[in-house]
Amino acid sequence: MSEEVRRMFASISDKYDTANSVLSFGIHHFWRHVTVKMSGASKGQAVLDCATGTGDLAIVFKRVVGSEGYVLGTDFCKEMIEPAPGKAASKNLKIDFEVADAMNLPYKDDRFDISSIAFGIRNVDDPIKALKEMARVVKPGGRVVVLEFGQPKGLLKVPYQFYSKKVMPFIGGLISGNKDAYTYLPETSAIFPAGDKFLALMDQSGAFSKRKARSLTGGIAFVYVGIVK
Ligand SMILES: C[S@@+](CC[C@H](N)C(=O)[O-])C[C@H]1O[C@@H](n2cnc3c(N)ncnc32)[C@H](O)[C@@H]1O
């Protein structure tokens, strides 16, 4: 499964940013800012962004932790992180990027103040294992933050289902040349255990003393924050 996911992201890596901005109407930028705010990140802190892709969340973190802080973006797909160093440099930000699997992080215990993952946890084979790993590399009292899609309820439910099942594969396919990828992404979002179900996974990981969730844009996405034991 992991190898399939890696290949899929490699195949859309050069069009990923364009497709993201078009398909989300740019709202993912707002979600990332909320995520960083909820992480409680402050100047001088060390942050690990897992499944960083093209580095957008790492960039928002770096602006907050500043030059005295440190941000490392990691992803298991080398093609996805290829544009990231150039993007950071064009914004005068120094961020390191490395290839690493979120389920098996090559970092020592307690190295970071915060670890994060945006739209990546639903793609890993074992989300509890990834949560444990992300908590292991964070100091006790530090935070693990997760931004991930959910399933909106109420008035947004039907239009969002239509959008994600019909419009996303069509437009994502046109932009990236890989319609299957933009069918897979909404399909995995539709079945992902969001909200209270994800909080239960966080509890099962045994890694957090407290955890909370905030729904964004009517439940289209959620931010989860866990305080590391
Ligand atoms: C939808 S993209 C999100 C990228 C980026 N975080 C963002 O917010 O735009 C999902 C990313 O997760 C990465 N990924 C999936 N499974 C992974 C794993 N086990 N370890 C590290 N990265 C993984 C993929 O390579 C891909 O770059």
Side-chain angles (χ1 to χ4, degrees):
M1 179 65 182
S2 290
E3 196 40 48
E4 252 172 71
V5 170
R6 197 197 317 254
R7 270 204 301 273
M8 184 196 76
F9 281 108
S11 80
I12 59 169
S13 57
D14 57 338
K15 297 290 186 310
Y16 177 80
D17 280 354
T18 310
N20 228 5
S21 286
V22 171
L23 292 170
S24 79
F25 306 102
I27 205 162
H28 70 108
H29 294 297
F30 165 70
W31 293 343
R32 291 179 205 282
H33 279 97
V34 174
T35 304
V36 172
K37 193 149 201 251
M38 283 182 68
S39 77
S42 59
K43 285 231 174 307
Q45 287 193 317
V47 179
L48 173 70
D49 184 37
C50 299
T52 196
T54 58
D56 280 356
L57 189 63
I59 285 171
V60 184
F61 267 115
K62 183 63 185 171
R63 290 208 162 106
V64 172
V65 301
S67 53
E68 60 272 60
Y70 175 70
V71 178
L72 172 60
T74 60
D75 199 287
F76 80 163
C77 176
K78 103 172 155 23
E79 289 84 351
M80 278 297 280
I81 47 174
E82 263 160 18
K87 257 167 88 175
S90 72
K91 296 172 188 345
N92 280 323
L93 297 170
K94 195 196 160 316
I95 302 175
D96 285 342
F97 291 97
E98 289 176 4
V99 172
D101 189 327
M103 292 193 306
N104 187 17
L105 293 168
Y107 310 113
K108 64 178 171 49
D109 296 359
D110 306 346
R111 173 168 165 194
F112 299 94
D113 297 292
I114 293 167
S115 65
S116 58
I117 188 164
F119 309 116
I121 197 90
R122 79 178 192 280
N123 300 125
V124 306
D125 283 349
D126 183 346
I128 295 182
K129 191 169 177 197
L131 285 171
K132 282 184 180 163
E133 268 298 85
M134 290 175 68
R136 179 184 64 75
V137 299
V138 166
K139 296 168 187 157
R143 290 171 188 215
V144 172
V145 274
V146 177
L147 171 62
E148 192 48 270
F149 286 113
Q151 301 91 26
K153 298 196 172 80
L155 282 180
L156 275 176
K157 184 176 170 176
V158 172
Y160 182 74
Q161 278 177 347
F162 175 77
Y163 180 74
S164 58
K165 282 189 188 151
K166 304 284 179 204
V167 182
M168 268 180 83
F170 180 69
I171 302 202
L174 277 185
I175 296 173
S176 71
N178 185 345
K179 190 175 176 188
D180 287 350
Y182 286 89
T183 306
Y184 164 87
L185 291 171
E187 273 176 8
T188 50
S189 303
I191 55 167
F192 184 74
D196 288 343
K197 291 183 188 147
F198 190 76
L199 290 177
L201 291 187
M202 292 179 85
D203 290 342
Q204 279 176 51
S205 77
F208 306 107
S209 57
K210 279 192 203 157
R211 79 293 180 280
K212 64 179 177 185
R214 174 173 162 189
S215 118
L216 300 172
T217 320
I220 292 178
F222 282 82
V223 182
Y224 307 93
V225 182
I227 310 283
V228 174
K229 274 184 184 164

